[in-house]
Amino acid sequence: MLLALLRKIPFFLALYVFASLAIFAAINAIPGDPVELRFGKVVNAERVAIERERLGLDRSFVERYILSQKQFLTGDWGRSLGSGQATTVDFFAFMPATLELSFSAMLLGVALGLSVALFGALGSYPSMSRLANGIGTIGLVVPIFWIGIVLLVVFSLWLGWFPMGGRFDMASIQPSRRSGFLFLDTVFSGDLASLGIAFKHLALPAVCLSVFPAASVASVTYARLQEPELQAFIVALRSRGYGTARILWRHLLRVSAGTTITVVGTSFGALLGGAFLTETVFSWPGIGRYLVTAILERDVFVAQNILTFLVLLVIFVAFVSDLIVFQLNPKKEEGE
Amino acid sequence: MMKCQIALCLVLTLFALAGCGPKADTPNEAPQVFVFARGSDAQKLDPADIDDGESVNTLTQICEGLVRFKSGTLEIEPWLAESYSVSPDGLVYRFKIREGVQFHDGTPLDAEAAAFSFLRQMDESHPAHLPEAAFSYWSYLYQDVVAVEAVAKMELEIRLSQANASMLRSLAIFPAWLISPSSLDTYGSEMQRNPIGTGPYRLKEWRRNEAVILERNPDYWGEAPAFERLVLKVVPDNTTRLLQLKSGAIHGMDGLQPTEVAALRNDPNLTVYEEAGLNVGYMAFNLETERLSHLELRKAIALGTDKQAFATVALEGAGRPASYPLPKGFLGYPSVEDKIIYDLERARKLAAPFVDLFRDKPLEILVMNAPRPYLPDPVTAATFMKGQIEAIGIPAKVVSLDFKTQLDRLRNGDFETALIGWVGDNGDTDNFLSVFFGSWAAEKGTATNYSFYRNPEMDELLLTARKTTKTAERAELYEEAIAIWKRDLPLLPLCHGDNIVVLSSQFEGFQLQKIGDLRLSEIRVK
């Protein structure tokens, strides 16, 4: 385990340098001087020059890149040019909301996707097999914001079961902030009413965002279980007289765990992308919306640092899922 | 059997999760709370250092100025000052501060306290002249102010280096609103997010990118607002925002698309407020490009543009055609209208000699891809203009960009023609014409005169008019300036976009303001 970790470090470092450089170059290439644009409707050239110098924007590309990485790694993420707020303060304000949403969506998605794929693979549920084939297509093709709006219309507007977006009631007092994760905060404060409110706000966006992971998990796992050797395995298990439940829980779940974890690990990036759209439709105050606004507003320090962090996070998650798969089945890595 | 049970369990769990608890408790059951939704959040809450409409609209509820616009007009009325006087030479303004007003933190308002909000912008060594603040409006609208001084306990004097006819109006808008002099001591640089004003509401909580929650100021000197709380909620998605309004989860909203408005006008549960905004959407001709330097060609485009059709197609009725580069009712707006009348035949004739220039490279129309107050649907507007220009024989193409990129290219003169506009700040004519035509505003990189039009005659007129305090004389000068614009045509005015706000019809008392700020504290339940 430790050895596997160590072996990956140079690879991880190389990825970091490549990713951070690509991000820096891309943000640098967006037309428009961030300081000039920050000054609003009427720009004062003198003040722009002073501000550029203060922010170090007048230096060369290489100097700025090195400085930006030094600042990124030391946690000095600068301030938003628009709001003047420290980027790290914003990060800790918005990131938990996104993680809460993505994590719930992932959990829900895996549960849904796995159930469909497993039942489908057993072969005795023709409708499930069709669903397993269909859900992949639907989940990957239907735009997420459209799903979001349909959910809002049906469950909020017509049925009135859920609030129409937002993370908490405007009329209620939010539990005091400890972790920033509303769920944990409500649990810490032992406030069940708040937990209920937080849960109701989370439900629809989580369902909306879970469609994509559900689809990926269902289609990939289903395809894996369709492989002849596994189909033969199922037949063998059945011939021994094992019941459906035992086949599912004791055998198929284990066999498909590796595939599922790989899918989860690699689709985490796409999930964050979907989080932006979900955050927009459901007025969810997350990092996705914050980041996209920052890019559109040329808020360079925010965009640079947050984007670098998210890319590293995505790589890290993929890496960890790799390790877990290896732990589950050490033969796999040797064979490759 | 087993399979049914498992499937059933799954389905039941989902429903149990979904159905738990009573109907979503939205704030509409509490009449003490008014919820207004908008597309994005405020950026900062420091009146001296903001630029975006959402921040201004938030502070409108919290802060006030010495003077303000009388509701629904461009007339000035004394506000935190009981009265004011201007010296005959227009250089000294004296404000008698209202007695008995206090800031939200209890600090009483006097002349010294009022001076704080000006001095911190003007004086670079002032402790509240925060290094991270741009104070961009100070160097733009208040550059003539040389001294702000408390001459008596309740008397504030503002002295100018030269007369400036738009100063009083500039003192009514947000950069001149007052905040408590103890702001810095209480919050340090966080004062930019913690406004302490004198207004009808005070800040209770700011859940960033979620909502600004305000509560009634119990010590307000004026008429108390009707609601205990006012929530300015962020709902970025247009469709969601409209759904929320229809469901009653929110009580009012802005940022509507014209197509949506059309459908709302007949809804008995909603009241649509719409009025021509203080803005001009126009086509800028870059006079520094070879092809657009031909006056005859610019005239041809102007004559070949059917503005009535433009308003119908591109604005879908949510705006009106613009004949002049300033809104109707402004000082200098021609008393006898002599507008450019659509004449396709003449336009074709005028354009004919130039057609060859565009054979290989069509005319480029730069446009932003997201709505602006003066152009709710910019790409449709640009496509319409392309059609009009092609009808006079000139091939054209539309290049759509995000707003900031477009702005950058405009300021640097890196375009041929562009659809763009201007939203007035203080309701003064100078705030339009100088921005469009002053040669001092045609510097590459910081330009607002996107046509890069330079004419000493025009400069002279604008500078004289700015200093002239006699209204009739000023009006004449501006009429002359308009005549020169019409002769030289550096830009083609197209439309004035409407200000649109929709409220649930259970409320009344709301009045749209000319400069576009939302006075939500005036809203009452019917």
Side-chain angles (χ1 to χ4, degrees):
Chain A
M1 174 80 177
L2 195 66
L3 199 70
L5 238 165
L6 285 174
R7 262 195 292 162
K8 294 258 180 177
I9 283 176
F11 170 70
F12 203 68
L13 274 178
L15 257 181
Y16 162 71
V17 172
F18 176 75
S20 62
L21 194 60
I23 291 168
F24 186 79
I27 289 176
N28 208 54
I30 308 177
D33 183 299
V35 176
E36 248 173 59
L37 291 166
R38 176 245 181 285
F39 271 69
K41 284 170 82 175
V42 176
V43 182
N44 178 328
E46 232 172 278
R47 301 259 354 223
V48 169
I50 297 172
E51 192 69 2
R52 284 176 63 88
E53 200 187 319
R54 189 174 78 83
L55 297 170
L57 288 171
D58 52 346
R59 303 185 206 174
S60 74
F61 182 89
V62 178
E63 262 181 293
R64 273 182 297 132
Y65 171 71
I66 292 170
L67 185 68
S68 76
Q69 293 318 304
K70 204 173 116 195
Q71 287 171 338
F72 174 76
L73 294 172
T74 53
D76 171 17
W77 289 7
R79 281 177 182 275
S80 155
L81 295 176
S83 73
Q85 183 72 272
T87 308
T88 41
V89 171
D90 281 345
F91 175 78
F92 287 114
F94 301 131
M95 192 68 196
T98 297
L99 286 181
E100 204 166 75
L101 175 61
S102 320
F103 190 70
S104 332
M106 192 57 104
L107 226 54
L108 203 59
V110 170
L112 273 173
L114 260 186
S115 338
V116 169
L118 291 178
F119 281 106
L122 280 177
S124 42
Y125 304 85
S127 56
M128 277 292 185
S129 322
R130 277 199 295 275
L131 193 58
N133 279 321
I135 196 174
T137 324
I138 294 169
L140 300 175
V141 168
V142 177
I144 198 163
F145 58 85
W146 186 83
I147 298 177
I149 286 172
V150 169
L151 286 174
L152 272 179
V153 169
V154 175
F155 292 98
S156 299
L157 192 64
W158 293 353
L159 298 172
W161 289 354
F162 296 99
M164 282 203 177
R167 200 172 169 214
F168 205 75
D169 264 0
M170 292 304 148
S172 314
I173 309 291
Q174 204 163 322
S176 62
R177 192 190 158 85
R178 296 183 207 197
S179 62
F181 294 89
L182 249 179
F183 258 81
L184 293 182
D185 286 350
T186 49
V187 171
F188 283 149
S189 59
D191 179 356
L192 281 180
S194 294
L195 182 65
I197 296 174
F199 178 77
K200 263 188 278 167
H201 281 81
L202 179 63
L204 286 190
V207 168
C208 174
L209 188 58
S210 75
V211 172
F212 176 77
S216 331
V217 169
S219 50
V220 176
T221 312
Y222 181 71
R224 163 101 173 102
L225 293 173
Q226 288 302 306
E227 285 169 17
E229 57 182 85
L230 283 175
Q231 282 296 311
F233 179 52
I234 293 174
V235 172
L237 289 171
R238 280 210 186 284
S239 65
R240 291 199 182 173
Y242 290 158
T244 304
R246 183 180 169 134
I247 298 179
L248 270 181
W249 295 115
R250 300 268 311 259
H251 301 282
L252 289 194
L253 204 56
R254 274 192 201 176
V255 172
S256 53
T259 318
T260 308
I261 291 169
T262 308
V263 173
V264 168
T266 47
S267 64
F268 184 66
L271 193 71
L272 283 182
F276 159 68
L277 295 171
T278 313
E279 284 168 10
T280 303
V281 174
F282 290 95
S283 323
W284 193 262
I287 202 90
R289 243 171 77 201
Y290 177 66
L291 176 64
V292 172
T293 314
I295 293 171
L296 287 176
E297 296 288 325
R298 306 289 186 277
D299 209 337
V300 281
F301 300 109
V302 173
Q304 168 75 35
N305 288 302
I306 303 278
L307 207 53
T308 310
F309 178 85
L310 290 182
V311 168
L312 289 185
L313 182 68
V314 169
I315 297 173
F316 181 74
V317 168
F319 173 62
V320 168
S321 70
D322 232 29
L323 277 183
I324 296 175
V325 173
F326 175 70
Q327 282 290 303
L328 288 175
N329 181 8
K331 273 193 212 151
K332 204 177 166 201
E333 179 129 342
E334 284 166 24
E336 276 162 6
Chain B
M1 198 54 210
M2 181 76 187
K3 59 188 177 185
C4 287
Q5 281 169 353
I6 295 176
L8 200 66
C9 278
L10 265 174
V11 172
L12 280 182
T13 322
L14 274 179
F15 272 86
L17 288 175
C20 70
K23 191 177 186 287
D25 36 352
T26 40
N28 63 337
E29 270 107 33
Q32 281 304 305
V33 181
F34 186 89
V35 185
F36 189 88
R38 51 199 188 170
S40 48
D41 202 3
Q43 292 218 323
K44 284 186 190 183
L45 296 177
D46 178 350
D49 187 34
I50 51 175
D51 186 60
D52 61 304
E54 310 310 346
S55 301
V56 176
N57 280 332
T58 308
L59 285 171
T60 304
Q61 327 306 326
I62 301 172
C63 295
E64 301 168 303
L66 295 168
V67 291
R68 71 164 199 174
F69 291 107
K70 211 177 264 178
S71 195
T73 72
L74 282 175
E75 267 172 67
I76 294 294
E77 64 178 351
W79 198 244
L80 289 182
E82 266 167 9
S83 61
Y84 60 85
S85 64
V86 185
S87 68
D89 58 4
L91 292 178
V92 182
Y93 288 65
R94 263 193 184 204
F95 297 89
K96 175 144 189 7
I97 308 291
R98 190 177 290 276
E99 301 272 352
V101 178
Q102 59 177 46
F103 291 97
H104 297 154
D105 63 350
T107 310
L109 172 70
D110 57 20
E112 203 69 58
F116 169 83
S117 298
F118 297 99
L119 293 173
R120 65 175 285 240
Q121 300 187 60
M122 192 169 90
D123 176 6
E124 284 176 25
S125 59
H126 194 282
H129 189 88
L130 305 170
E132 63 266 37
F135 300 115
S136 54
Y137 272 82
W138 187 263
S139 54
Y140 146 56
L141 289 177
Y142 308 89
Q143 75 277 36
D144 294 333
V145 174
V146 284
V148 179
E149 198 185 333
V151 286
K153 172 107 176 90
M154 297 308 261
E155 209 162 304
L156 183 77
E157 192 173 279
I158 296 181
R159 288 192 292 274
L160 311 187
S161 57
Q162 55 177 344
N164 182 329
S166 62
M167 186 53 72
L168 207 52
R169 289 211 164 101
S170 297
L171 289 174
I173 64 169
F174 61 88
W177 290 346
L178 306 184
I179 55 168
S180 169
S182 62
S183 300
L184 184 69
D185 294 335
T186 316
Y187 292 111
S189 68
E190 282 303 298
M191 67 182 275
Q192 295 211 295
R193 276 165 285 283
N194 292 280
I196 311 174
T198 57
Y201 284 100
R202 60 188 184 192
L203 182 66
K204 174 155 176 61
E205 193 189 349
W206 186 5
R207 296 184 198 159
R208 298 223 6 250
N209 278 0
E210 224 180 334
V212 178
I213 300 173
L214 306 173
E215 64 181 358
R216 188 195 278 148
N217 171 10
D219 305 317
Y220 187 52
W221 62 275
E223 199 185 336
F227 304 98
E228 184 55 42
R229 279 201 197 176
L230 172 63
V231 176
L232 298 168
K233 195 176 169 188
V234 184
V235 183
D237 186 67
N238 264 14
T239 316
T240 314
R241 202 156 60 238
L242 203 53
L243 284 178
Q244 294 200 354
L245 184 68
K246 286 185 170 165
S247 76
I250 58 170
H251 305 123
M253 64 176 280
D254 62 3
L256 282 133
Q257 285 297 298
T259 35
E260 296 163 343
V261 180
L264 297 182
R265 286 193 189 104
N266 301 320
D267 189 332
N269 297 320
L270 302 174
T271 314
V272 177
Y273 297 82
E274 56 189 320
E275 196 181 88
L278 279 198
N279 60 59
V280 183
Y282 62 90
M283 180 175 236
F285 302 125
N286 186 350
L287 304 191
E288 293 193 337
T289 57
E290 166 60 29
R291 302 191 290 190
L292 268 303
S293 63
H294 301 290
L295 174 62
E296 298 295 295
L297 175 65
R298 303 200 297 270
K299 272 201 178 137
I301 296 175
L303 282 169
T305 303
D306 183 351
K307 288 183 191 167
Q308 197 60 54
F310 180 87
T312 317
V313 174
L315 302 168
E316 303 195 54
R320 25 220 105 188
S323 308
Y324 297 98
L326 77 168
K328 214 169 184 163
F330 267 54
L331 198 65
Y333 193 92
S335 36
V336 186
E337 285 204 28
D338 171 29
K339 53 190 176 197
I340 303 166
I341 293 162
Y342 176 57
D343 185 344
L344 187 57
E345 269 323 298
R346 257 191 75 206
R348 280 213 182 109
K349 256 181 224 149
L350 276 174
F354 303 104
V355 171
D356 276 345
L357 288 177
F358 295 89
R359 194 138 285 160
D360 300 326
K361 198 171 157 250
L363 179 84
E364 183 191 81
I365 308 171
L366 213 62
V367 71
M368 69 298 262
N369 58 14
R372 306 293 302 167
Y374 38 81
L375 277 182
D377 187 355
V379 178
T380 305
T383 313
F384 179 84
M385 282 309 292
K386 169 180 146 78
Q388 299 277 289
I389 292 169
E390 290 189 331
I392 64 171
I394 310 276
K397 68 166 185 191
V398 173
V399 178
S400 85
L401 297 166
D402 76 275
F403 183 56
K404 294 277 170 172
T405 306
Q406 190 205 20
L407 207 55
D408 186 61
R409 286 185 57 180
L410 287 172
R411 283 178 179 168
N412 288 294
D414 179 19
F415 71 103
E416 196 163 33
T417 75
L419 293 195
I420 183 71
W422 179 256
V423 182
D425 295 297
N426 57 8
D428 195 88
T429 305
D430 181 62
N431 184 236
F432 279 84
L433 299 189
S434 282
V435 164
F436 294 152
F437 306 127
S439 66
W440 55 88
E443 293 295 325
K444 287 266 164 67
T446 61
T448 56
N449 173 349
Y450 303 133
S451 307
F452 296 90
Y453 173 68
R454 292 184 183 86
N455 178 353
E457 196 188 354
M458 180 67 109
D459 285 354
E460 177 65 32
L461 275 172
L462 294 175
L463 289 176
T464 316
R466 188 185 277 178
K467 284 184 235 161
T468 307
T469 47
K470 292 200 186 73
T471 309
E473 260 174 53
R474 232 182 140 216
E476 246 170 67
L477 291 167
Y478 284 134
E479 281 207 40
E480 263 182 70
I482 298 273
I484 295 179
W485 154 74
K486 205 180 158 208
R487 187 192 70 201
D488 293 349
L489 274 182
L491 60 81
L492 174 65
L494 292 170
C495 59
H496 306 295
D498 282 357
N499 287 336
I500 301 172
V501 168
V502 183
L503 299 185
S504 152
S505 46
Q506 65 188 107
F507 302 102
E508 62 181 7
F510 180 70
Q511 164 78 50
L512 280 178
Q513 300 302 322
K514 293 276 177 201
I515 55 165
D517 50 0
L518 300 171
R519 293 187 186 165
L520 299 174
S521 64
E522 293 174 354
I523 298 174
R524 302 274 178 279
V525 179
K526 257 185 199 163

